[in-house]
């Protein structure tokens, strides 16, 4: 176990301090250029290389209540989305520090909770302006152009995050032909098409009657151009290009909402390769495997559907990984069917079964003598008449195994797949009788074989009849293993296939065993990003763009609230009788500023981790410079889009050579990112309120129960607080 070391001040909110301490351990996992950690088991002295928040928390000592809550939040995020955990962990730490800062400045807990929640909700509404629609990306999937077949692009992670050339993540320069200039049509709020002005001018106010006939001279160096030379399309969005003199409408919660009449603009993504490159975040090797799996699944579905083709949905529940440590990286591949590892003692059996269709039986639970299905109740009315007639355990298992073999022989079954554990004795007997038994098979794999082979899953082997047996399954070796590495591989990889099966296995290999878990995690992260992007049909502009928009939006709200708060305080004694209302106006700017500081820390760490800056202070200065520019522009979202449009010729391309031609956009998935923000703030506010209830409860006891305190002197109140936290 690894301990998170930090001095805890027991006079302050211990829960918030513990959250900050735990979050500090995962700072290096933020961003695409991650610093991996070696975790060594103190008991067996085995080591594993980790580069994800989930694996880190599994290795930390999280026995406290706060640690358990943090672990549950991260696991819930990972189990649902398989991405966003690093963001969640960092924001937990940043906003814990923000809540502590508010407490030190005397802000009431109820106002911290209220304003922080409202602030995050306001940010979530604001970042809709950076959503990019994703439509019809599989329309041209049959073209020869693929992510795997392309020369790798030079990867830029957006205007606020670049990968330096010496990190090893820089990809080969890719020459693209100029895209023919096209007149762009956009729609105003009434829906009538108008010619577009110059794209993404940084000025806050756009004159509708100026440069109406202008068209962009070239899209080669602009991120408006598709990474695969497809034409860009602009669609309507009500959130962009707000004017300086736009009307401000006061919302019930006290925030100010701006409504501008300027013409909106947005991007669109219609190409699978562009989407995959944008979602890879520099991990092109994992995304190539994801793309190959999607292509194979698409072909399988189209073959089955024929002319009655339904819209294709990328289904990662029918994709599985088979990890083979000890093999070279070049052995990683994507194959149709199910690939798994069996004992080398089955080599002779596999040779006899391959190249012929065999019959299969599917067992839902364990394949053991004593297995009973969930909910089974043993009859209470059975009594033992003669104790001496009871058979020994070995004889009982032998009788059961003989019964199983009789059933398999009767229905000519040579393959048994069990979802649970399998009796070792049964496996040996079946191997001798030329029958292959595989246990611990995923439920979705069982379902896929049931659909393709016609088999029916049963709970007990004794339930098998002719209607339950599947047909047409083929067993073969996955591939030959070089003699120089055959001794380093445990077991033997085999492939199970049948015609029409909707199942894809991604084989992951690595010569370094400790690196295997990290490689599998990275694959599933890329697969989940692509899956959710296609499912939601939208993505965010990435590389810190949405976080920067949140930062600038909160900064503007804080300044507006400060101005409004000063006006309220000036007339407080005469016009206001509500203490809560006056406190809200007084403390709102402070809380919003602290919440914004959390975003500022996030972006500074994100940029610092790319090794473009020598310190976080330098990265923070960089962010502050653009923050001021965005606020001065009057429309932070338009400012961000403007920086995207001139990515190759501005200060945002630090660390990237100006010689590079096309730099593709980076994308983030929408719902997982927003849920990571929500979970982070919900956890911080839960711990804040719990800490406050404990502390205020103790203070209330000291003030109002002085004459009873002598009776409770043996009770250590500090120890009680520690107990409630543990």
């Amino acid at each position: 176990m690894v301990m998170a070391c930090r001095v805890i001040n027991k006079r302050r909110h211990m829960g918030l301090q513990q959250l900050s301490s735990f979050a500090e351990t995962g700072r290096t996992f933020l961003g695409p250029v991650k610093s991996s950690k070696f975790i060594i088991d103190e008991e067996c002295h085995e080591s594993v290389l980790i580069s994800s928040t989930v694996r880190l928390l599994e290795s930390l000592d999280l026995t406290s209540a706060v640690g358990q809550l943090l672990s549950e939040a991260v696991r819930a995020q990972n189990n649902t989305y398989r991405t966003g955990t690093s963001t969640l962990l960092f924001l937990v730490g940043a906003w814990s520090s923000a809540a502590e800062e508010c407490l030190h400045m005397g802000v009431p807990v109820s106002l911290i909770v209220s304003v922080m929640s409202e602030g995050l909700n306001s940010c979530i509404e604001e970042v809709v302006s950076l959503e990019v629609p994703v439509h019809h990306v599989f329309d041209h999937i049959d073209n020869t152009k693929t992510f795997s077949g392309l020369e790798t692009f030079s990867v830029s992670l957006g205007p606020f995050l670049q990968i330096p050339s010496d990190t090893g993540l820089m990809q080969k320069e890719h020459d693209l032909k100029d895209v023919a200039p096209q007149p762009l049509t956009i729609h105003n709020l009434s829906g009538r098409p108008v010619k577009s002005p110059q794209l993404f001018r940084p000025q806050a106010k756009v004159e509708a009657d100026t440069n109406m006939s202008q068209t962009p001279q070239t899209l080669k160096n602009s991120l408006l151009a598709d990474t695969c030379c497809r034409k860009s399309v602009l669609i309507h969005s009500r959130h962009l290009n707000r004017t300086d003199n736009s009307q401000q409408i006061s919302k019930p919660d006290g925030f100010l909402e701006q409504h501008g009449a300027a013409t909106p603009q947005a991007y669109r993504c219609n190409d699978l390769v562009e989407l995959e490159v944008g979602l890879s975040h520099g991990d092109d090797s994992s995304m190539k495997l994801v793309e190959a799996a999607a292509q194979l699944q698409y072909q399988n579905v189209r073959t089955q559907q024929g002319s009655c083709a339904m819209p294709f949905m990328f289904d990662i529940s029918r994709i599985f990984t088979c990890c083979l440590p000890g093999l070279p990286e070049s052995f990683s591949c994507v194959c149709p069917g199910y690939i798994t590892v069996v004992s080398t003692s089955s080599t002779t059996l596999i040779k006899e079964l391959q190249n012929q269709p065999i019959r299969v039986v599917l067992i839902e639970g364990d394949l053991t003598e004593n297995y009973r299905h969930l909910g089974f109740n043993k009859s209470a009315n059975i009594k033992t008449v003669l104790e001496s007639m009871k058979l020994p355990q070995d004889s009982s298992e032998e009788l059961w195994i003989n019964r199983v073999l009789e059933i398999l022989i009767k229905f000519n079954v040579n393959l048994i797949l069990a979802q649970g554990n399998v009796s070792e004795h049964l496996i040996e007997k079946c191997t001798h009788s030329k029958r292959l038994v595989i246990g611990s098979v995923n439920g979705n794999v069982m379902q896929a074989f049931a659909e393709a082979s016609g088999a029916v899953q049963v709970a007990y082997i004794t339930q098998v009849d002719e209607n339950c047996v599947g047909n047409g399954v083929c067993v073969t070796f996955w591939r030959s293993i070089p003699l120089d590495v055959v001794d380093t591989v445990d077991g033997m990889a085999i492939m199970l296939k049948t015609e029409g099966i909707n199942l894809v296995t991604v084989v992951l290999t690595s010569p370094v065993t400790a690196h295997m878990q990290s490689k599998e995690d990275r694959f599933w992260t890329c697969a989940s990003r692509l899956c959710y992007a296609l499912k939601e049909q939208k993505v965010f502009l990435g590389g810190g763009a949405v976080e920067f928009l949140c930062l600038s939006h909160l900064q503007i709200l804080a300044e507006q609230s400060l101005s409004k708060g000063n006006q309220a305080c000036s007339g407080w004694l005469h016009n206001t009788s509500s203490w809560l209302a006056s406190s809200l106006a007084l403390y709102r700017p402070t809380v919003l500023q602290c919440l914004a500081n959390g975003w500022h820390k996030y972006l500074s760490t994100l940029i610092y981790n790319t090794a473009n800056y020598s310190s976080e202070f330098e990265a923070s200065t960089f962010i502050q410079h653009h923050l001021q520019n965005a606020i001065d522009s009057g429309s932070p979202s338009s400012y961000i889009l403007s920086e995207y449009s001139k990515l190759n010729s501005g200060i945002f391309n630090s660390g990237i050579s100006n010689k590079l031609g096309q730099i593709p956009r980076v994308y983030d998935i929408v719902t997982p990112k927003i849920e990571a923000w929500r979970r982070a703030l919900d956890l911080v506010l839960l711990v804040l309120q719990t800490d406050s209830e404990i502390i205020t409860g103790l203070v209330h006891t000291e003030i109002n129960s002085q004459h009873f305190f002598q009776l409770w002197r043996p009770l250590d109140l500090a120890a009680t607080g520690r107990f409630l936290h543990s």
Side-chain angles (χ1 to χ4, degrees), residues 23 30 53 57 69-78 81 83-95 602 672-673 675-681 683-684:
L30 199 62
T53 299
L57 294 185
L69 289 173
L70 175 61
S71 179
E72 286 296 325
V74 170
R75 274 204 299 266
Q77 177 76 16
N78 184 68
Y81 304 110
T83 184
T85 54
S86 297
T87 295
L88 191 159
L89 182 64
F90 187 92
L91 290 179
V92 163
W95 287 337
Y602 177 93
K673 178 176 280 289
E675 282 304 304
W677 300 350
R678 290 190 188 277
R679 281 192 168 103
L681 186 60
L683 177 59
V684 169

Side-chain angles (χ1 to χ4, degrees), residues 104-375:
H104 297 159
M105 289 185 284
V107 182
V109 172
S110 59
L111 294 184
I112 297 176
V113 173
S114 175
V115 178
M116 279 192 168
S117 298
E118 293 172 357
L120 181 60
N121 290 335
S122 181
C123 287
I124 292 172
E125 294 176 1
E126 186 72 13
V127 296
V128 174
S129 62
L130 297 184
E131 287 181 359
V132 178
V134 176
H135 295 299
H136 311 298
V137 295
F138 284 96
D139 286 357
H140 304 278
I141 196 172
D142 295 328
N143 293 349
T144 56
K145 176 186 63 181
T146 63
F147 182 90
S148 303
L150 288 174
E151 290 183 62
T152 46
F153 286 103
S154 302
V155 171
S156 161
L157 296 183
F160 303 100
L161 183 57
Q162 309 290 344
I163 298 181
S165 57
D166 57 350
T167 60
L169 289 179
M170 283 297 297
Q171 302 173 345
K172 298 178 182 179
E173 181 178 351
H174 183 70
D175 297 328
L176 293 177
K177 297 180 180 179
D178 290 348
V179 180
Q182 299 289 334
L184 302 176
T185 300
I186 52 183
H187 293 77
N188 60 14
L189 296 180
S190 64
R192 291 176 295 180
V194 295
K195 293 183 179 180
S196 65
Q198 184 178 355
L199 293 180
F200 303 134
R201 285 187 292 174
Q203 289 84 0
K205 183 176 181 179
V206 179
E207 298 293 342
D209 55 349
T210 305
N211 297 329
M212 293 294 289
S213 60
Q214 290 184 1
T215 60
Q217 297 179 353
T218 178
L219 296 179
K220 177 179 178 181
N221 294 327
S222 172
L223 285 182
L224 293 174
D226 198 302
T227 59
C228 300
C229 302
R230 296 178 61 85
K231 298 176 183 178
S232 298
V233 179
L234 294 175
I235 67 167
H236 168 77
S237 172
R238 64 183 175 86
H239 296 274
L240 307 184
N241 274 350
R242 296 172 182 165
T243 57
D244 281 334
N245 57 356
S246 59
Q247 183 181 4
Q248 293 184 348
I249 301 177
S250 180
K251 298 171 68 177
D253 57 10
F255 289 123
L256 298 179
E257 183 179 8
Q258 295 180 340
H259 291 275
T263 304
Q265 301 166 349
Y267 295 130
R268 182 186 291 273
C269 177
N270 296 328
D271 190 88
L272 180 61
V273 177
E274 176 193 353
L275 184 63
E276 289 167 345
V277 173
L279 293 174
S280 67
H281 294 191
D283 188 6
D284 60 313
S285 61
S286 295
M287 188 56 81
K288 284 178 181 179
L289 294 173
V290 174
E291 184 227 15
Q295 294 261 15
L296 193 54
Q297 192 176 88
Y298 176 83
Q299 294 170 5
N300 291 340
V301 172
R302 284 295 176 261
T303 301
Q304 295 175 25
Q305 292 179 347
S307 59
C308 301
M310 300 294 290
F312 172 70
M313 293 298 297
F314 182 43
D315 186 6
I316 59 175
S317 68
R318 292 301 177 97
I319 296 177
F320 301 90
T321 53
C322 178
C323 297
L324 300 177
L327 294 178
E329 294 274 359
S330 58
F331 276 55
S332 295
C333 64
V334 177
C335 304
Y338 178 57
I339 297 176
T340 187
V341 178
V342 298
S343 173
T344 53
S345 61
S346 303
T347 303
T348 303
L349 174 60
I350 302 301
K351 289 180 179 179
E352 295 181 2
L353 294 179
Q354 67 179 351
N355 300 325
Q356 58 178 319
I358 59 177
R359 289 158 66 84
V360 62
V361 165
L362 307 177
I363 306 297
E364 288 181 327
D366 295 344
L367 189 52
T368 58
E369 180 200 6
N370 297 323
Y371 171 75
R372 299 294 182 270
H373 64 275
L374 186 65

Side-chain angles (χ1 to χ4, degrees), residues 625-687:
H625 169 72
H626 285 287
L627 174 62
Q628 192 60 49
N629 289 344
I631 294 175
D632 293 342
S633 73
S635 176
S637 59
S638 296
Y639 176 82
I640 292 171
L641 294 174
S642 172
E643 294 301 330
Y644 263 92
S645 67
K646 61 180 182 180
L647 184 63
N648 253 7
S649 58
I651 56 177
F652 286 98
N653 65 341
S654 58
I656 298 292
S657 172
N658 290 329
K659 297 180 181 180
L660 299 178
Q662 180 71 20
I663 301 180
R665 292 192 292 258
V666 64
Y667 296 125
D668 284 327
I669 43 182
V670 177
T671 300
K673 178 176 280 289
I674 290 178
E675 282 304 304
W677 300 350
R678 290 190 188 277
R679 281 192 168 103
L681 186 60
D682 288 346
L683 177 59
V684 169
L685 298 183
L686 173 63
V687 173

Side-chain angles (χ1 to χ4, degrees), residues 471-506:
N471 300 281
V473 180
C474 297
V475 181
T476 185
F477 295 102
W478 169 57
R479 62 174 297 174
S480 59
I481 305 298
L483 295 176
D484 57 337
V485 297
V486 70
D487 293 334
T488 64
V489 180
D490 265 346
M492 171 181 57
I494 63 171
M495 179 188 295
L496 306 178
K497 288 181 62 179
T498 186
E499 184 178 357
I501 189 168
N502 182 19
L503 204 61
V504 175
T505 302
V506 179

Side-chain angles (χ1 to χ4, degrees), residues 10 33 54 80 177-178 197 223 236 250 294 355 368 375 409 466 538 557 581 686 691:
K10 297 180 180 179
V33 188
V54 177
T80 306
K177 297 180 180 179
D178 290 348
L223 285 182
H236 168 77
S250 180
N355 300 325
T368 58
I409 294 171
E466 185 62 33
K538 60 183 178 181
L557 288 180
L686 173 63
D691 275 352

Side-chain angles (χ1 to χ4, degrees), residues 1-3 39 48 50 54-61:
M1 288 292 183
V2 179
M3 299 295 294
I39 301 296
V48 63
I50 63 171
V54 177
R55 305 302 172 190
L56 174 66
L57 294 185
E58 288 176 353
S59 305
L60 290 178
D61 182 15

